[in-house]
Amino acid sequence: PQRGGILRFVVPDEPPSFDGHRETTFALMHPIGPFYSVLTRINPDNMSSTSDIVCDLCTEMPKAENDGKRYTFKIRDGVKFHDGSALTAHDVAASFQKIVDPPEGVQSARKAYFVMVDKVSAPDDSTVVFDLKYPSGAFMKAVANPFNFIYPKAKLDQDPHWFEKNVLGSGPFKFGEWQPGATMTGVRNENYHHKGQPYLDGFEAIFAPQQSVRAQAIRGDRAAIEFRGFPPKTRDELKEALGDKITVQESDWNCVLLMTPNHRRKPFDDVRVRRAVTLALDRWNGSKYLSEIAIVKTVGGIVFPGDDLAASKEELQKIAGYWPDHKKSQEEAKRLLQEAGVQTPLQVKIVNRAVDQPYKIVGIWVIDQLRQIGITAEQEVLPTGPFYDQLRTKHEWDLAIEFNCQSNVNALLDVSKFVSEDVSGSNYGGYVDRELDKMFEEMNRTSDEAKQRSIMRAFEKRILDEEARMFITLWWYRIIPHRSYVKGWTISPSHYLNQQLDNVWIDKSQM
């Protein structure tokens, strides 16, 4: 690796806040992630396996104790936050406590990932102990989530909302400046705890909501990379224009676009209406068309396709909305609307995110699909901040096009999105379903893979079919064409992983 240089990259959106514990979007991770350290992380030198977990702030990976119900982490000495204050085990424990059991009025998007945790404690400055309610094979992957930023306990004690608007980490880069609507910069942390890193002098995140602008920035070398992904056509155009100056990396993507009905509003409090909506979507044919123009591709259920716990094609085709005969699905959808007493055309409001790929493109497809069963949809496209306000607090919508994107593939916890809103932390549908909560905990308690799979199928069937709580559209596919002088960065199944940028360097001979 060569030392020096500024990495410029484009980001399609800006973060709704700066708090990694609260947010679930790449718009936070890409510009903000490099400022923070985490307890453990997926090995940045081995992105081919999201099970290869290594220490970031800890000194060695712990072994399970107390019959699998205790994990003790030792914390590195000499780590400092960017303001010069020492980072200790108390900061780590306080950060995880905020994630696991947030104070009143504080949002934690991943609290359901830690349903197995009884308590987090720091008996001294260098030791953090997680005591679990029951052994869980999903726990260590949950700890390695890249959004688990470590914050100073002193700041959390003063105001747990402080990090929504401020940045203070111990990561490879220090906060430079933020120009809303334009750029965010970081500069090398010379006191970073991984010796010799980072290699870069700094980075500049350039916010650009239009895909054409981002592609032109890479083509004109005003930016080197976008870490989220481009559709196939853009990849081909960049490769044709730049030849060996462009390197392309591709991967399946642990990210799925959802359509969520608002259970708080009529007629979507009626399961028949909800089932009609999912029956309207022709996923099998939609995949063929949309995969050519958008960053979506794979038809799947609630689990990352290809995972051991994912539904097979045969199992999927037994679920409403996945039947091979779409005409049959459409007729059943119309029948259900009539049975529910819905007068067609039914006028509905869809709230969507003002990000072109894949939100707006898939949104247009959804509107056409709904029209064919007698539902006329008006789409309100909002910037990320107002979009999340609608999902979290305002609820002035009938259907929302949103997502379930995860980092390291951890199926038992990745599906926490779908449990009751008071358990999940990221369920915006407004429903409580204790049967789902029960199944979620049951499959996390057992280590029997056959039993896990059996429960997952029942869990999936209830969500997508029997109660039609949320609807899967299509899973994403990740294509990263980047300037060939960008080295050390490897694609993964998640646009959240490998974003601390401490291992990235610039090959000046290829610039």
Side-chain angles (χ1 to χ4, degrees):
Q2 299 173 22
R3 194 171 172 88
I6 303 295
L7 179 69
R8 293 178 175 85
F9 57 90
V10 279
V11 187
D13 208 356
E14 292 188 76
S17 86
F18 294 165
D19 187 354
H21 303 171
R22 179 179 190 260
E23 306 302 344
T24 59
T25 172
F26 70 92
L28 174 134
M29 182 55 67
H30 293 182
I32 302 294
F35 302 132
Y36 284 98
S37 302
V38 288
L39 180 57
T40 65
R41 60 178 177 172
I42 305 302
N43 187 349
D45 298 319
N46 183 24
M47 283 291 118
S48 63
S49 171
T50 63
S51 296
D52 185 3
I53 300 173
V54 297
C55 278
D56 185 3
L57 287 173
C58 57
T59 59
E60 61 181 348
M61 297 298 294
K63 291 182 170 60
E65 306 168 279
N66 190 24
D67 296 324
K69 293 192 292 184
R70 173 171 289 179
Y71 290 83
T72 302
F73 292 85
K74 290 295 182 179
I75 307 303
R76 293 174 182 264
D77 289 332
V79 180
K80 294 187 180 298
F81 289 106
H82 296 157
D83 65 354
S85 60
L87 185 154
T88 72
H90 301 288
D91 301 300
V92 177
S95 298
F96 273 97
Q97 192 60 43
K98 177 174 175 282
I99 298 166
V100 173
D101 186 19
E104 184 74 25
V106 173
Q107 292 176 322
S108 170
R110 282 159 288 275
K111 63 180 181 180
Y113 283 37
F114 294 96
V115 290
M116 75 292 287
V117 174
D118 183 29
K119 67 176 180 176
V120 189
S121 59
D124 56 52
D125 286 353
S126 62
T127 308
V128 175
V129 179
F130 289 83
D131 284 300
L132 310 188
K133 301 170 189 172
Y134 50 85
S136 172
F139 170 72
M140 288 299 286
K141 280 193 172 184
V143 172
N145 190 289
F147 285 93
N148 295 340
F149 298 164
I150 301 305
Y151 297 144
K153 181 178 184 297
K155 291 292 186 184
L156 291 176
D157 289 345
Q158 291 172 11
D159 180 8
H161 294 282
W162 190 83
F163 291 94
E164 293 172 17
K165 297 181 179 180
N166 299 278
V167 175
L168 179 55
S170 57
F173 297 91
K174 296 182 178 182
F175 183 77
E177 63 174 353
W178 177 41
Q179 297 180 8
T183 62
M184 182 176 288
T185 62
V187 297
R188 179 195 287 135
N189 175 14
E190 298 289 356
N191 297 315
Y192 187 47
H193 53 272
H194 291 292
K195 190 174 181 180
Q197 293 181 305
Y199 305 117
L200 298 168
D201 290 333
F203 71 84
E204 181 181 17
I206 303 166
F207 301 112
Q210 290 189 324
Q211 177 188 300
S212 59
V213 173
R214 300 193 301 276
Q216 283 299 322
I218 294 173
R219 184 169 181 166
D221 205 16
R222 295 185 299 279
I225 189 170
E226 180 200 310
F227 290 112
R228 188 163 176 264
F230 284 111
K233 184 180 178 182
T234 303
R235 169 201 60 200
D236 297 343
E237 289 172 346
L238 286 171
K239 194 67 179 172
E240 182 178 356
L242 297 172
D244 61 5
K245 292 181 180 178
I246 282 288
T247 297
V248 178
Q249 301 187 48
E250 300 189 19
S251 172
D252 287 322
W253 201 339
N254 191 14
C255 199
V256 64
L257 203 65
L258 306 175
M259 188 155 60
T260 300
N262 188 347
H263 291 61
R264 310 169 191 86
R265 286 164 70 104
K266 292 185 178 298
F268 295 98
D269 58 342
D270 189 324
V271 66
R272 293 170 295 185
V273 178
R274 300 196 300 269
R275 290 188 86 243
V277 171
T278 191
L279 284 161
L281 304 183
D282 186 358
R283 294 163 175 86
W284 301 108
N285 283 315
S287 170
K288 298 173 187 175
Y289 164 68
L290 289 168
S291 63
E292 297 179 1
I293 61 172
I295 56 173
V296 294
K297 184 175 183 179
T298 308
V299 178
I302 62 173
V303 177
F304 180 53
D307 188 85
D308 290 342
L309 293 180
S312 67
K313 184 175 182 178
E314 292 72 24
E315 288 167 333
L316 283 174
Q317 289 186 337
K318 297 175 183 177
I319 295 173
Y322 295 84
W323 301 342
D325 184 349
H326 188 57
K327 288 292 183 185
K328 175 185 173 183
S329 295
Q330 287 179 318
E331 291 306 313
E332 175 64 5
K334 293 173 184 176
R335 186 194 70 78
L336 286 169
L337 290 175
Q338 185 177 23
E339 182 183 295
V342 171
Q343 297 294 316
T344 55
L346 173 65
Q347 303 286 331
V348 302
K349 177 181 176 181
I350 297 178
V351 64
N352 200 352
R353 189 176 180 185
V355 175
D356 43 16
Q357 287 286 356
Y359 295 88
K360 291 194 283 187
I361 294 172
V362 175
I364 293 168
W365 173 74
V366 164
I367 289 170
D368 179 66
Q369 297 285 288
L370 294 178
R371 177 188 57 78
Q372 296 178 45
I373 66 163
I375 298 178
T376 302
E378 173 194 353
Q379 184 173 212
E380 183 179 12
V381 178
L382 299 172
T384 294
F387 172 75
Y388 273 102
D389 286 343
Q390 277 292 344
L391 292 183
R392 289 168 173 160
T393 58
K394 293 184 177 179
H395 312 307
E396 299 163 344
W397 46 274
D398 299 304
L399 297 165
I401 293 179
E402 50 145 342
F403 63 93
N404 188 27
C405 294
Q406 303 296 340
S407 52
N408 43 329
V409 179
N410 192 5
L412 292 173
L413 296 178
D414 288 353
V415 298
S416 64
K417 170 86 173 176
F418 304 103
V419 298
S420 297
E421 64 172 343
D422 58 343
V423 176
S424 169
S426 61
N427 173 352
Y428 307 121
Y431 63 82
V432 171
D433 188 329
R434 297 304 179 210
E435 185 62 28
L436 288 177
D437 301 344
K438 179 181 175 183
M439 285 190 280
F440 176 72
E441 181 160 334
E442 186 179 357
M443 64 183 171
N444 269 283
R445 279 182 176 270
T446 181
S447 58
D448 184 328
E449 292 185 8
K451 187 175 181 181
Q452 288 173 349
R453 200 175 198 288
S454 175
I455 298 169
M456 185 68 81
R457 295 286 73 77
F459 186 76
E460 182 175 61
K461 178 77 171 174
R462 185 173 179 86
I463 293 162
L464 300 183
D465 189 332
E466 295 168 354
E467 293 297 325
R469 296 298 191 189
M470 293 188 196
F471 321 131
I472 306 293
T473 62
L474 294 167
W475 285 79
W476 300 11
Y477 184 71
R478 198 173 182 208
I479 302 172
I480 308 293
H482 62 81
R483 284 278 170 169
S484 296
Y485 59 72
V486 175
K487 304 294 185 181
W489 183 86
T490 307
I491 198 170
S492 73
S494 168
H495 57 322
Y496 302 145
L497 292 176
N498 209 13
Q499 293 306 134
Q500 285 175 294
L501 307 183
D502 52 352
N503 57 326
V504 176
W505 56 281
I506 292 174
D507 185 346
K508 299 180 180 65
S509 68
Q510 294 191 24
M511 293 187 71

